[in-house]
Amino acid sequence: MSSPSRLPQPTAQVAAIPPMTPFVAPEELARRVGRSELLRLGANESAFGPSPRAIGAMREAVSLTSWYGDPESLQLRAALAARHDCAVEEIVVASGIDDLMGLIVRAFCAPGAACVATRGTYPTLFYHLNAFGGRAEFADPNEAGGIVPENIAAAVRRSGAKLVYVANPDNPSGAFVDRATLAALREALPDDVLLFLDEAYADFVPRDELPPDVIDPRTIRTRTFSKAYGMAGARIGYALASADVIATFQKLRLHFGVNRTAQLGALAALDDAAFLRGVIAEVERGRDEYHALAAHHGLPSLRSWTNFVCIGIGTRAEAEAMVGALLELGVFVRKPWAPPIDGYVRVTVGTAGERAAFAERFAEALDRVREKAAT
Ligand SMILES: *Cc1c(COP(=O)(O)O)cnc(C)c1O
């Protein structure tokens, strides 16, 4: 036997990464509580599935699985370019925003350099920063967990960061800032600072409230088919940026990282505007129901521009107990990780039936948490 120190070792940089589990998946959570499945309201997946047209296109495409997908995703990029009134060269398609995050960090955040983000926001970027040697520098959020442009600009000055991450609408808070506020933030940042605008939930916001489709060489905007389009498992999203920035990603990205089935499914999904409108309307109804559910129990909830709502349970410990109590009852939700909204749980809008089931189990879980708090 060779001694352990003689076995293959990861690089020093990788060995230094703390062990992390970005997200414990609902499949694993179900195994832990001995259930075959959970009421799945914790990952902001769509309860309304992909468009039937997308399903049809993907069914047909499956027989082409023996081929690699078009590495340029050209057909899809052409459709997206028409939609966003930009050039094909200003779009890159990748296997979701999470994939694009890795490309952005590798391309624009040198080892040891800072990236500014608002404390509490969607954490996947930080896993990439850790792995590639960058570091997160946090700006304080407002009382609803949303961004404060002045705090971001101050954190950039303090840290010398060349990369800023803003999710708009934000996850997990659900907060949204309008185009004028974003434009002011962009102007407040030095020109050599790249603004990464993660617009995973943009489809839930009226188009005229989003930044206009103008390519800014200092800004990257990312979109996904995972949320409103209901295609999270297909793993497909895209970035809008200057041709120079996109050309940089072309050097780094996994050549065949996006499969043909996803490309053709996304293309068909873009064509089904009526389906998307239906999803958005139902999500709005679902949000209203969750706000009413919270109010019914005397709990606060955060205004949301997404397909989820945060409901205030109490302290951080109580919110954590609530996530646990819901899991015991077969419900998968998650919660914000940072103050001032870490006393909230975040629940995804489900179908009408799922919402009714959630309301029942929410009441029961809340009883359990309150009983425990009282003893
Ligand atoms: C869900 C989510 C993502 C991940 O999107 P994929 O395209 O599925 O990788 C990225 N950013 C935010 C803010 C999200 O909520």
Coordinates of all heavy atoms in Angstrom, one line a residue, residues 26 44 56 63 100 104 138 141 164 187 206 208 214 241 250 255 330 334-335 342-343 375:
P26 N -33.8 18.3 -4.1 CA -35.0 17.7 -3.5 C -35.0 16.1 -3.6 O -35.6 15.5 -2.6 CB -36.2 18.2 -4.4 CG -35.5 18.8 -5.6 CD -34.2 19.2 -5.2
N44 N -37.8 27.0 -7.6 CA -38.4 28.0 -8.6 C -38.5 27.4 -10.0 O -38.4 28.1 -11.0 CB -37.6 29.3 -8.6 CG -37.5 29.9 -7.2 OD1 -38.4 29.6 -6.4 ND2 -36.5 30.7 -6.9
G56 N -43.1 18.9 -28.2 CA -43.1 18.2 -29.5 C -41.8 18.3 -30.2 O -41.3 17.3 -30.7
S63 N -34.4 11.7 -31.4 CA -33.8 10.7 -32.3 C -32.5 11.2 -32.9 O -31.8 10.4 -33.5 CB -34.8 10.4 -33.4 OG -35.2 11.5 -34.1
L100 N -23.1 30.1 -17.6 CA -22.5 31.4 -18.0 C -21.8 32.1 -16.9 O -20.8 32.8 -17.1 CB -23.7 32.3 -18.5 CG -24.3 31.9 -19.8 CD1 -25.7 32.5 -20.0 CD2 -23.4 32.3 -21.0
I104 N -18.2 33.8 -17.0 CA -18.0 35.3 -16.7 C -16.9 35.4 -15.6 O -16.0 36.2 -15.7 CB -19.3 35.9 -16.1 CG1 -20.3 36.0 -17.3 CG2 -19.0 37.2 -15.5 CD1 -21.7 36.3 -16.9
F138 N -19.2 41.9 -0.4 CA -20.7 42.1 -0.3 C -21.1 43.6 0.0 O -20.5 44.3 0.8 CB -21.3 41.2 0.8 CG -21.2 39.8 0.5 CD1 -20.4 38.9 1.2 CD2 -22.0 39.3 -0.6 CE1 -20.4 37.5 0.9 CE2 -21.9 38.0 -0.9 CZ -21.1 37.1 -0.2
P141 N -27.8 44.9 1.6 CA -29.2 45.0 0.9 C -30.0 46.0 1.7 O -29.7 46.4 2.8 CB -29.7 43.6 1.1 CG -29.1 43.0 2.3 CD -27.8 43.6 2.5
V164 N -19.3 43.2 -11.1 CA -20.5 43.5 -10.2 C -21.6 42.5 -10.6 O -21.9 42.5 -11.8 CB -20.9 44.9 -10.2 CG1 -22.3 45.1 -9.5 CG2 -19.9 45.8 -9.6
E187 N -24.1 54.1 -14.5 CA -23.3 55.3 -14.6 C -22.4 55.6 -13.4 O -21.4 56.2 -13.5 CB -24.3 56.5 -14.9 CG -24.9 56.5 -16.3 CD -23.9 56.1 -17.4 OE1 -22.8 56.8 -17.4 OE2 -24.1 55.2 -18.1
P206 N -43.1 43.1 -16.9 CA -43.4 43.8 -18.2 C -42.2 44.3 -18.9 O -41.3 44.9 -18.3 CB -44.3 44.9 -17.7 CG -44.8 44.5 -16.4 CD -43.8 43.7 -15.8
D208 N -41.5 46.7 -20.7 CA -41.1 48.2 -20.7 C -40.5 48.6 -19.4 O -40.1 49.7 -19.2 CB -42.2 49.0 -21.2 CG -43.4 48.9 -20.2 OD1 -43.4 48.1 -19.3 OD2 -44.5 49.6 -20.5
V214 N -30.5 47.4 -25.6 CA -29.4 48.0 -26.2 C -28.1 47.4 -25.6 O -28.0 47.2 -24.4 CB -29.4 49.5 -25.8 CG1 -28.2 50.2 -26.4 CG2 -30.7 50.2 -26.3
A241 N -24.5 40.5 -24.8 CA -23.3 41.3 -24.5 C -22.7 41.8 -25.8 O -23.1 41.4 -26.9 CB -22.3 40.6 -23.7
Q250 N -16.5 32.6 -26.4 CA -16.3 31.6 -27.4 C -14.9 30.9 -27.2 O -14.8 29.7 -27.6 CB -16.3 32.2 -28.8 CG -17.6 32.9 -29.2 CD -18.7 31.8 -29.5 OE1 -19.1 31.1 -28.6 NE2 -19.2 31.8 -30.7
H255 N -17.5 23.4 -26.0 CA -17.9 23.4 -27.4 C -19.3 22.8 -27.6 O -20.2 23.4 -28.3 CB -16.8 22.7 -28.2 CG -16.9 23.1 -29.7 ND1 -16.8 24.4 -30.2 CD2 -17.0 22.3 -30.8 CE1 -16.9 24.3 -31.5 NE2 -17.0 23.1 -31.9
G330 N -43.4 16.5 3.9 CA -43.3 16.2 2.4 C -43.2 17.4 1.5 O -43.5 17.3 0.3
R334 N -37.1 26.4 0.2 CA -35.8 26.9 0.7 C -36.0 28.2 1.4 O -37.1 28.7 1.5 CB -34.8 27.0 -0.4 CG -34.3 25.7 -1.0 CD -33.0 25.8 -1.8 NE -32.5 24.5 -2.2 CZ -32.5 24.1 -3.5 NH1 -32.8 24.9 -4.5 NH2 -32.0 22.9 -3.8
K335 N -34.9 28.8 1.9 CA -35.0 30.1 2.6 C -33.8 31.0 2.3 O -32.7 30.5 2.0 CB -35.1 29.9 4.1 CG -33.9 29.2 4.8 CD -34.1 29.1 6.3 CE -34.0 30.5 6.9 NZ -32.8 31.3 6.7
D342 N -33.5 36.6 6.5 CA -33.2 35.2 6.8 C -34.2 34.5 7.7 O -34.2 33.3 8.0 CB -31.8 35.0 7.3 CG -31.4 35.8 8.5 OD1 -32.2 36.8 8.8 OD2 -30.5 35.5 9.3
G343 N -35.2 35.3 8.2 CA -36.3 34.8 9.0 C -37.5 34.4 8.1 O -38.6 34.2 8.6
T375 N -42.5 26.1 24.0 CA -42.1 25.2 25.1 C -40.7 25.4 25.5 O -39.9 26.0 24.8 CB -42.3 23.7 24.7 OG1 -41.5 23.5 23.5 CG2 -43.8 23.4 24.5

